[in-house]
Amino acid sequence: MNPTGLDLPPLIAAFVFGLMGGAHCIGMCGGVMSALTFAIPPSMRSSARMGGLLLSYNLGRILSYMTAGALVAALGTVLSPSLLARQLLQGVAALMLILMALYIANWWKGLLRVEAVGRRLWRHLEPLGRRLMPVVHFPQAFALGALWGWLPCGLVYSMLAWSLATAQPLLGALLMGAFGLGTLPALLATGLAARKLNHLIRHPATRTIAALVIIGFAVWQLWSLSMHSGGHSHANH
């Protein structure tokens, strides 16, 4: 049994990870969303246009996540020619999910240190994003979102570790797509709905429950991995 095989539970889990990471996403990308809103001339701020620009931005962002997921999964095919290597990658992915859970529950913030990995790349991309401001057209919003999808983010890196372990580009892309869709409600919601959603996401009980679910999923992965490994060992004997 491949614990990172693409079936319904992993896709749902990836969506939940994105949903519960919404508070972090608002902190990382909320400024861009605000900039998109305030950069639009008042005469052009119709609900339909605003909604279209914000949706275009997020589609670009999610497409970047899916592209990264496919790329790292392709790298996984190179790094995991043997069963042992694949099992090690899957083990690392499960441990990254546990780190994500600890972050979401506010029990340990060590995951933030992982973000330093992507800061060098981001230094080159950030100036390109500034050139696209102010955003008044849908293609501009889409392009800006595609750039901001590469913003250093520990939660995204945790999901990329999971995609890497799949060693299948399509699976990696779909997992990242499910994760990206999970982040949409927090970033698209506005006004009272946003305040209610943020309160729900930030509530300690909600975050604790989500963290325990994620840890449970990661433990299930590790248990499945050990059973799979044990089965092979007995088969060899």
Side-chain angles (χ1 to χ4, degrees):
M1 178 180 179
N2 178 4
T4 56
L6 185 66
D7 51 26
L8 197 56
L11 282 180
I12 291 176
F15 179 84
V16 170
F17 300 161
L19 185 64
M20 297 316 302
H24 181 65
C25 292
I26 291 171
M28 295 290 287
C29 301
V32 180
M33 301 296 283
S34 298
L36 279 169
T37 301
F38 291 112
I40 301 170
S43 60
M44 300 173 64
R45 290 183 187 176
S46 67
S47 297
R49 186 171 187 81
M50 292 284 293
L53 288 172
L54 296 179
L55 186 59
S56 295
Y57 163 77
N58 281 285
L59 287 176
R61 179 176 60 87
I62 293 173
L63 181 62
S64 287
Y65 290 170
M66 295 181 71
T67 300
L71 289 174
V72 298
L75 177 62
T77 64
V78 177
L79 297 177
S80 60
S82 68
L83 176 63
L84 177 60
R86 285 195 299 273
Q87 290 174 339
L88 286 174
L89 287 177
Q90 291 166 2
V92 169
L95 292 176
M96 286 293 287
L97 292 182
I98 292 174
L99 293 182
M100 180 196 290
L102 296 177
Y103 170 83
I104 287 175
N106 288 323
W107 292 335
W108 189 58
K109 298 289 188 180
L111 187 60
L112 295 179
R113 299 174 189 170
V114 182
E115 294 176 2
V117 175
R119 284 178 190 153
R120 289 188 178 182
L121 172 63
W122 181 242
R123 289 195 200 105
H124 298 288
L125 295 178
E126 187 177 14
L128 297 177
R130 290 175 184 168
R131 294 177 189 174
L132 293 170
M133 304 291 285
V135 176
V136 293
H137 301 297
F138 296 148
Q140 277 180 289
F142 182 85
L144 183 62
L147 283 175
W148 277 82
W150 299 95
L151 184 72
C153 175
L155 296 179
V156 172
Y157 293 162
S158 294
M159 288 304 302
L160 285 177
W162 194 9
S163 296
L164 175 69
T166 68
Q168 297 182 56
L170 178 59
L171 305 192
L174 289 176
L175 283 172
M176 292 305 297
F179 168 76
L181 288 175
T183 65
L184 269 181
L187 291 177
L188 284 180
T190 56
L192 181 62
R195 287 195 291 273
K196 288 182 177 179
L197 181 64
N198 290 344
H199 177 72
L200 177 63
I201 290 175
R202 293 174 186 273
H203 195 283
T206 303
R207 296 173 76 94
T208 298
I209 291 172
L212 292 176
V213 169
I214 294 172
I215 290 173
F217 184 78
V219 170
W220 168 72
Q221 284 188 301
L222 291 171
W223 177 81
S224 299
L225 190 59
S226 66
M227 293 295 290
H228 186 64
S229 166
H232 273 269
S233 296
H234 289 301
N236 291 335
H237 286 294

